[in-house]
Amino acid sequence: METALKESKCAVCDAIETSDRKLLQCGRCKQTKYCSRSCQQKDWKSHKKSCKAQNYILKVDLYPEEIRDPSISRTLSCPADANFDQLHDALQEAFGYINIHTYDFKIKDPNAEPEPVLDPGMEIHRKMMWDMAQQDNKIYDWCPRQNLLRIVEQHPFMPEKGTGIDFLLNSRRRHTKTPEVYSDEIKLSKVFDDKEYLNAPIQYEYDFNESWVHDVKVIGRAEATSRFQCLDGEGHGVAEDVGGVHGWLELRKAYNASKPTKGQEERKLWYETEAVNKDEEGLGDGRDRFWDRGAVNRMLSVRIV
């Protein structure tokens, strides 16, 4: 005996979904349902005007193995039609950066051979070869390929997009077997819906000198929108130019010290008065856990895809 399922019917002929007859759903918007491909084809001319792919829900963690208690993460709802340059801008707002350094996204090769461990002499040689490659705009493969795809910014020296000298370290991230595509020319759906990258880890790296590496995971889908939205998060954003993850942990330690040393007091003063994304209230009294989702979403609300 067939049992009707609540509020599920074909958008064309009103055929009701039952326990014995499952309806098809639009592969793009995941919302509209049809009893057959014939009905779906009949409806496409009308449906395509309003059909939008669902947003991706991304969980983004900054150095999850090193930065803990509190960790630093943000969860964003992201329009499927957004490109990776727009995602970069949204992440800058969400994490409290000010967009003055170079960035890329890497689709990691889950089957890559590990990078070799080099002795001091080989490390010096590697850096020399990197510098030569950068000057000649060539690629020096010093290890097996690590990434399936690298998504890079097209104009790293544009004043409004960042003027960081850290772009000079770009050659260290290139490989002859890793294709590169400009971030403003590839949409999120092109990567997140590609079966080739289904099980591949994704990283977002900001500032090639301090190397702020974020793990990016698609954890769900949400109603289609034309704006990014921050859904959740944890932890105060890091200070730019603090000295990378080690420098950030040392800064937190300075605020937690019962009797700060002179060096620790100087670190705190720098952060509250001189850092490019300074916080005049510092990180004391639990402020290393503070972040303002409302403020983030107010900034994201003006970014229409």
Side-chain angles (χ1 to χ4, degrees), residues 195-232:
K195 294 182 180 179
E196 180 183 0
Y197 308 135
L198 184 60
N199 297 311
I202 302 173
Q203 288 184 344
Y204 164 63
E205 182 180 6
Y206 171 63
D207 187 345
F208 288 176
N209 183 42
E210 299 211 335
S211 189
W212 295 110
V213 176
H214 311 68
D215 291 346
V216 180
K217 295 180 181 179
V218 180
I219 63 172
R221 304 298 293 267
E223 180 181 354
T225 68
S226 60
R227 291 179 172 85
F228 290 87
Q229 183 181 11
C230 186
L231 305 177
D232 198 3

Side-chain angles (χ1 to χ4, degrees), residues 27-252:
R28 191 163 189 260
C29 69
K30 312 292 185 184
Q31 299 292 320
T32 306
K33 294 189 175 183
Y34 302 97
C35 66
S36 65
R37 298 213 176 271
S38 176
C39 277
Q40 185 174 17
Q41 290 170 355
K42 289 179 183 178
D43 192 44
W44 177 239
K45 185 176 181 180
S46 173
H47 178 59
K48 69 179 181 181
K49 298 176 183 178
S50 60
C51 180
K52 292 185 178 181
Q54 290 182 307
N55 284 18
Y56 299 99
I57 299 178
L58 304 184
K59 176 76 163 24
V60 185
D61 294 278
L62 176 59
Y63 276 113
E65 296 300 319
E66 289 85 357
I67 301 179
R68 301 180 179 181
D69 192 29
S71 61
I72 302 176
S73 69
R74 302 290 184 265
T75 301
L76 301 180
S77 176
C78 309
D81 286 339
N83 61 48
F84 277 84
D85 190 56
Q86 291 169 319
L87 175 59
H88 157 72
D89 287 338
L91 291 172
Q92 289 287 299
E93 303 280 21
F95 281 89
Y97 298 119
I98 61 170
N99 211 355
I100 58 172
H101 296 292
T102 312
Y103 75 90
D104 69 7
F105 292 87
K106 302 178 185 71
I107 316 303
K108 307 296 292 183
D109 184 349
N111 300 312
E113 297 178 29
E115 298 180 2
V117 178
L118 304 180
D119 60 40
M122 287 301 297
E123 179 65 28
I124 293 174
H125 174 74
R126 179 179 67 167
K127 290 181 178 179
M128 290 176 57
M129 294 300 294
W130 271 335
D131 291 342
M132 292 173 61
Q134 182 75 21
Q135 292 173 10
D136 298 334
N137 195 27
K138 295 181 179 180
I139 301 176
Y140 167 54
D141 292 342
W142 71 276
C143 70
R145 182 185 75 166
Q146 300 296 304
N147 305 307
L148 299 175
L149 177 69
R150 186 165 176 253
I151 301 171
V152 300
E153 60 180 321
Q154 186 164 184
H155 304 291
F157 290 111
M158 290 176 64
E160 67 271 24
K161 300 300 292 182
T163 58
I165 197 171
D166 57 299
F167 179 74
L168 296 176
L169 302 176
N170 183 54
S171 64
R172 305 185 180 192
R173 290 153 175 82
R174 307 185 72 192
H175 197 283
T176 55
K177 294 183 179 179
T178 299
E180 296 182 354
V181 61
Y182 290 132
S183 59
D184 58 356
E185 296 181 357
I186 183 169
K187 293 183 177 181
L188 304 188
S189 57
K190 184 68 175 178
V191 172
F192 297 148
D193 289 346
D194 193 323
K195 294 182 180 179
E196 180 183 0
Y197 308 135
L198 184 60
N199 297 311
I202 302 173
Q203 288 184 344
Y204 164 63
E205 182 180 6
Y206 171 63
D207 187 345
F208 288 176
N209 183 42
E210 299 211 335
S211 189
W212 295 110
V213 176
H214 311 68
D215 291 346
V216 180
K217 295 180 181 179
V218 180
I219 63 172
R221 304 298 293 267
E223 180 181 354
T225 68
S226 60
R227 291 179 172 85
F228 290 87
Q229 183 181 11
C230 186
L231 305 177
D232 198 3
E234 181 180 6
H236 195 296
V238 299
E240 296 209 39
D241 304 322
V242 73
V245 63
H246 174 74
W248 175 249
L249 295 178
E250 287 298 311
L251 180 61
R252 291 203 325 192

